Amino acid sequence: MGTLAAAQPLLIGLLLLWSSYGKFADPKQAERTALPRLVGETRAITAYRGVAGIEALVALGLLLPPVWTVEALAAVALAAGFTGFLIYSKIVVPEASCGCMKASARPVGARAIARALLLLATAVMAATATTGWWSAGAGVLVLVVEAAAFAMLSAELDRYWLLPLRRFRIGLSHPYAGTASDDTPLAATQRRVLLSPAYRAVDGLLRSDIHDYWDDEDWRFVSYAARYDGRRATAVFAVPHRDSTPESIRVAVVDEEGLTLYRPTVLAAVG
């Protein structure tokens, strides 16, 4: 157990560096999170960059000798803060994205909260370490399994492993042959999308029929190939299972990196 605890700062440090880099690279992600509601629109980007700076400092402290306990405690505080913020986002601003590690158009869901809880658990374990990660020996090998768990809980990485798997599954049978977890046929979802103001708002950008779909808690997400300003893009429609009104459907056009290029705001007035 001692070597496992000692190895945790390595994983946490790398995750925090990734998270910090994503925030510094695209600080405008803050506008898609719950930060504007929490700290005000004028201070959201500043607060976002501040969190990125703290993440970077804690990460470097965890990765570099000689001290690790203080940084592990700081990581515990950060992870607890992340968890609280995501729960706040889901309750108060349910349409807000995570903004955790890399741009994503998806609202905060159970996976993002579970990832924050996993980070909190690893940080608590790291705080019990009595040696640095460079002395963990075989304990470092366990980090491969933990890293895989973080990847599976990261919507930002879905395009690298989950979407190819789904496309492979769709390629084996016609997309309309399956149904999703709530037993709603995909054809019914498509009908709702076609009748929505969201679809009319981006109709001229679409370049395909339904390209992919997936369920995430109370939402079904449907994607279409699109072009925006001459660039390849993807239009992602968020269709709530429990609200059948056309105006409840939302859409975002994102690029190949998951960055939002266009998101119509007043959909009820479109068309």
Side-chain angles (χ1 to χ4, degrees):
M1 192 69 176
T3 57
L4 181 59
Q8 300 307 309
L10 175 60
L11 177 63
I12 298 169
L14 293 176
L15 289 172
L16 290 180
L17 279 181
W18 175 36
S19 178
S20 175
Y21 170 77
K23 292 179 174 65
F24 278 127
D26 184 17
K28 288 189 176 180
Q29 288 185 68
E31 298 172 355
R32 301 190 289 272
T33 70
L35 274 176
R37 177 70 174 270
L38 187 63
V39 302
E41 293 185 3
T42 59
R43 294 185 289 273
I45 291 180
T46 301
Y48 197 63
R49 284 175 171 153
V51 172
I54 294 172
E55 287 177 332
L57 289 174
V58 173
L60 292 175
L62 288 167
L63 294 173
L64 301 175
V67 181
W68 58 86
T69 304
V70 173
E71 290 87 341
L73 292 175
V76 171
L78 265 179
F82 292 156
T83 305
F85 175 72
L86 293 179
I87 293 173
Y88 168 85
S89 299
K90 185 163 182 61
I91 295 174
V92 180
V93 194
E95 71 276 10
S97 61
C98 174
C100 301
M101 296 184 174
K102 194 176 181 182
S104 175
R106 296 190 189 184
V108 172
R111 289 171 68 195
I113 295 174
R115 181 178 61 185
L117 288 171
L118 181 57
L119 181 64
L120 177 58
T122 57
V124 170
M125 186 181 298
T128 66
T130 56
T131 60
W133 63 265
W134 49 88
S135 303
V140 175
L141 298 178
V142 181
L143 299 187
V144 176
V145 178
E146 294 182 21
F150 274 106
M152 293 177 66
L153 293 173
S154 298
E156 301 91 341
L157 299 180
D158 283 355
R159 64 188 295 263
Y160 297 107
W161 69 277
L162 186 57
L163 293 185
L165 284 177
R166 284 174 172 155
R167 287 168 186 153
F168 176 74
R169 182 196 66 189
I170 290 173
L172 296 178
S173 62
H174 193 281
Y176 291 91
T179 58
S181 59
D182 72 336
D183 298 324
T184 301
L186 183 57
T189 302
Q190 184 193 41
R191 192 178 308 114
R192 290 181 57 192
V193 169
L194 294 177
L195 295 174
S196 69
Y199 185 86
R200 295 196 294 273
V202 299
D203 186 17
L205 307 176
L206 304 183
R207 296 295 184 270
S208 76
D209 203 335
I210 291 177
H211 189 258
D212 195 8
Y213 74 97
W214 61 94
D215 282 322
D216 191 349
E217 297 185 333
D218 295 332
W219 296 84
R220 172 170 292 177
F221 295 91
V222 179
S223 69
Y224 292 72
R227 290 195 71 84
Y228 186 83
D229 283 346
R231 301 164 57 185
R232 292 179 59 185
T234 301
V236 182
F237 291 85
V239 184
H241 288 310
R242 299 180 183 179
D243 187 344
S244 61
T245 60
E247 293 77 17
S248 66
I249 296 175
R250 303 162 186 166
V251 65
V253 179
V254 300
D255 65 12
E256 293 183 344
E257 299 299 322
L259 301 177
T260 301
L261 302 174
Y262 173 60
R263 177 181 288 174
T265 51
V266 188
L267 292 177
V270 176

